[in-house]
Amino acid sequence: MAETTTVQRTPRKAALAAWSGSALEYYDLAIYGTAAALVFPTIFFPEGNQAVATVASLATFGVAYVARPFGSFLMGHIGDRFGRKQILIGTLLLMGVSTFLIGCLPSYDKVGMLAPILLVTLRLLQGLSAAGEQAGANSMSFEHAPDDRRGFFTSWTLSGTQGGQVLAPLVFLPVIALLSDEQLHSWGWRIPFWISAALLVVGFIIRRSLDETPEFHAEKKSAEVPPAPLALLFRHHWRGVLRVFFASFIAMVNTVFQVFALNFATSDEYGIGISSTTMLWLAIVANVIAVGTIPLWASLSDRVGRKPVFVSGLIGTAVMVTVFLWSISTGNVALVLITGILLAGIIYSMPNACWPSTYAEYFPTSVRLSGMAIGTQFGFALAGFTPAIAGALMGGNADNWYRVALFAFGAVLISLIAVLSGPKATHKVLTRDLGQTHTTDEVTRVPAGVAG
């Protein structure tokens, strides 16, 4: 057991650092997804077959998710061996610089195949950054939080991701509205990528001033930091890694909503005829609502437990993603807006609110960051390729929407089974006792209404 430490918990500051960095991270990811759905098929790929170019463009979105599982080993080792702060600063810089450079790339017309090669290379670097961002931010805010409010403070990481996904379409909307198609495809699409440089500076200033977590300080002070955290993780906590891996399949719903649905509703290939402006506004409104609902659902999980909120959200999400895809196929704009807001703004916010603290509670401090990073990033790989898989399932025919719905339903079902198999009442266990080999009935419980 690590000895006590005098390092002070700063939950609000840690939550702000998690929120700001995650907002930048997911602003960068969201503008890439938006560009991949709207403009990249004609910028970075040869003309001749729109369907092939679209699938190829959406596949580049998924490329980052190939790098993320491999990057999770590196980021997990660094975070559990040298501290959470190192990861938070490193991932922020890598993502910001990579995104800015994407905005500087030449088009296919200028340099041929070199254009998509450079695009994929920078996308891979984005993936390496993302491999440690959420796990690092979650670990930092989780370990700074009072024992009885871990769900609330850790959820600010995911609230930040929604904030980034609000900012991305807000930046794209005026670009699309004010520029002609020629201007948009020649230089206008670069603007959202260049703006990330300003966000990078803000996030760096906030994160640089953040202290390391009390839990990691205690381990370091008592020489309990493992020299090889990955070996310890897979020797004693491999079940937790597998559980997080399968539970993370729920993330594919986000890429269905943010990327595939945008292409499905607006592309001439499907003939639905909904404008890109309408779909971008849907993303803005839904994510604004999610920024507010995520902390509320997380607070509820601090009181009633993670599983009731998480499981309820998974069941609701499985139903609503099906209804949302059907509504797009009808071309009814009002129906699309209502179902999209219910899905992304309210229902999907329930598992989004719970998973940061749920997964963190599966592991002890010594392997928490690596356990979350490896489990989530291998699971998120499905989410990354979901737009490309969905495009292939559609086969250019809007009537095949049900195939994508069945695919999403299956992924959510796997997530549901994984969460149900997890330990009970982890929200009642003190942070220092989490992830131990004994049962939750044998560890110290969080006193009701008392912050640890």
Side-chain angles (χ1 to χ4, degrees), residues 119-447:
L119 179 66
V120 168
T121 300
L122 291 173
R123 184 64 177 156
L124 286 170
L125 292 177
Q126 283 189 321
L128 288 176
S129 168
E133 167 58 35
Q134 281 193 332
N138 286 340
S139 296
M140 178 67 81
S141 55
F142 182 88
E143 293 170 7
H144 268 290
D147 289 316
D148 62 344
R149 300 196 68 195
R150 293 189 301 249
F152 172 76
F153 282 107
T154 311
S155 75
W156 283 84
T157 303
L158 267 294
S159 182
T161 68
Q162 307 310 120
Q165 291 174 163
V166 169
L167 185 58
L170 275 176
V171 171
F172 253 104
L173 272 173
V175 171
I176 293 174
L178 298 176
L179 300 180
S180 66
D181 284 345
E182 181 180 355
Q183 291 171 323
L184 175 65
H185 285 78
S186 63
W187 57 268
W189 67 270
R190 302 177 186 275
I191 296 174
F193 290 88
W194 290 339
I195 287 176
S196 67
L199 301 177
L200 170 62
V201 173
V202 175
F204 178 76
I205 292 172
I206 294 174
R207 289 193 166 183
R208 186 180 60 177
S209 65
L210 187 63
D211 292 328
E212 189 54 79
T213 73
E215 301 299 327
F216 186 81
H217 263 300
E219 286 207 341
K220 188 175 181 180
K221 186 176 180 180
S222 57
E224 293 184 5
V225 175
L230 296 183
L232 181 64
L233 175 70
F234 287 108
R235 186 180 304 119
H236 298 294
H237 303 282
W238 58 270
R239 291 180 181 84
V241 176
L242 284 179
R243 186 174 293 114
V244 172
F245 165 67
F246 288 115
S248 297
F249 281 12
I250 182 62
M252 62 86 65
V253 174
N254 185 56
T255 50
V256 165
F257 178 79
Q258 293 288 149
V259 182
F260 170 72
L262 179 59
N263 180 258
F264 179 28
T266 64
S267 174
D268 293 338
E269 179 184 4
Y270 299 114
I272 302 298
I274 299 176
S275 71
S276 57
T277 299
T278 297
M279 294 302 292
L280 290 174
W281 271 113
L282 169 60
I284 291 170
V285 173
N287 283 307
V288 165
I289 293 173
V291 169
T293 56
I294 284 175
L296 295 178
W297 290 124
S299 291
L300 180 63
S301 79
D302 281 331
R303 295 195 296 272
V304 305
R306 314 293 180 219
K307 276 190 180 181
V309 181
F310 206 147
V311 168
S312 298
L314 288 170
I315 294 171
T317 296
V319 174
M320 283 306 305
V321 71
T322 303
V323 175
F324 176 60
L325 291 170
W326 165 77
S327 70
I328 293 177
S329 73
T330 69
N332 187 317
V333 174
L335 192 60
V336 170
L337 294 176
I338 293 171
T339 58
I341 289 172
L342 284 174
L343 170 63
I346 300 175
I347 304 299
Y348 181 64
S349 292
M350 296 172 74
N352 247 4
C354 291
W355 78 251
S357 52
T358 299
Y359 300 168
E361 288 169 353
Y362 290 161
F363 304 101
T365 301
S366 57
V367 296
R368 179 167 293 123
L369 198 153
S370 54
M372 284 196 292
I374 293 171
T376 55
Q377 297 315 309
F378 274 87
F380 287 170
L382 173 67
F385 283 100
T386 289
I389 294 171
L393 290 172
M394 293 292 290
N397 185 350
D399 292 335
N400 289 333
W401 66 268
Y402 70 91
R403 297 179 180 177
V404 181
L406 287 173
F407 174 59
F409 191 92
V412 176
L413 179 61
I414 291 172
S415 180
L416 175 63
I417 295 171
V419 173
L420 287 173
S421 73
K424 300 177 181 179
T426 52
H427 69 296
K428 295 182 179 180
V429 180
L430 294 178
T431 302
R432 67 171 182 265
D433 290 331
L434 286 166
Q436 305 301 327
T437 55
H438 38 54
T439 66
T440 55
D441 291 331
E442 298 170 326
V443 299
T444 306
R445 297 301 187 113
V446 177

Side-chain angles (χ1 to χ4, degrees), residues 34-99:
T34 303
L38 296 179
V39 297
F40 279 2
T42 59
I43 292 173
F44 289 104
F45 300 93
E47 298 179 358
N49 190 321
Q50 182 182 2
V52 172
T54 298
V55 171
S57 177
L58 293 176
T60 67
F61 178 82
V63 163
Y65 289 80
V66 174
R68 289 170 75 158
F70 297 101
S72 66
F73 288 95
L74 174 63
M75 299 297 182
H77 173 81
I78 294 172
D80 282 331
R81 182 72 180 87
F82 302 104
R84 287 50 169 132
K85 185 175 180 178
Q86 305 297 326
I87 288 296
L88 290 188
I89 294 177
T91 56
L92 187 78
L93 292 173
L94 184 58
M95 176 62 79
V97 172
S98 300
T99 302

